[in-house]
Amino acid sequence: MVNPVKPYIIDTGLIASFAIRRERDIGHLLENSIFMELCRRNAKAQYIITKSGFEVDFLASYPDGTRQAIQVAADIGNPGTRNRELRALVDTHPIVPDAGFLLINLDIE
């Protein structure tokens, strides 16, 4: 599949009920929460695969016409993780040059 569907759950308590793994995936829960907030803001949310193969978690298109490329990562304290997340956003610029860019995480402002 070129662009498979990424499921998001309205009731995050159900994730634990149906998960095969027992440890919590904070990154996935954070991404799920961001998706729900985008829905609350009436944004159309999709994800992007860049020409280099990087995935950007969301391209949010808001009702006022603005767009925002959003990467979500629970922890970007590791320089490799931070660089990977930022590289995906930079690689998105030619696809959506009018978009704002945002990296959301739990630790670093």
Side-chain angles (χ1 to χ4, degrees), residues 75-86:
D75 182 8
I76 59 169
N78 178 308
T81 302
R82 183 175 49 254
N83 290 339
R84 183 184 69 240
E85 300 294 336
L86 291 172

Side-chain angles (χ1 to χ4, degrees), residues 1 3 5 7 13 21 23 28 32-33 55-56 59 63-64 69 72 76-77 81 84 88 95 104:
M1 296 173 62
N3 288 338
V5 173
R21 296 181 351 188
E23 59 273 357
H28 183 70
N32 199 98
S33 296
E55 178 181 310
V56 174
L59 175 60
D64 67 358
V72 181
I76 59 169
T81 302
R84 183 184 69 240
I95 300 169
I104 298 175

Side-chain angles (χ1 to χ4, degrees), residues 7 10 21 24 30 33 54 57 60 74 82-83 87 94 96 101:
I10 292 173
R21 296 181 351 188
R24 292 178 18 178
L30 180 59
S33 296
F54 298 115
D57 295 318
R82 183 175 49 254
N83 290 339
R87 187 173 50 225
V96 285
F101 298 92

Side-chain angles (χ1 to χ4, degrees), residues 34-60:
I34 298 304
F35 177 77
M36 295 307 302
E37 181 59 27
L38 292 172
C39 290
R40 287 184 192 98
R41 294 178 183 203
N42 294 317
K44 177 184 175 193
Q46 58 192 46
Y47 70 97
I48 300 172
I49 304 288
T50 69
K51 290 181 181 181
S52 300
F54 298 115
E55 178 181 310
V56 174
D57 295 318
F58 301 106
L59 175 60

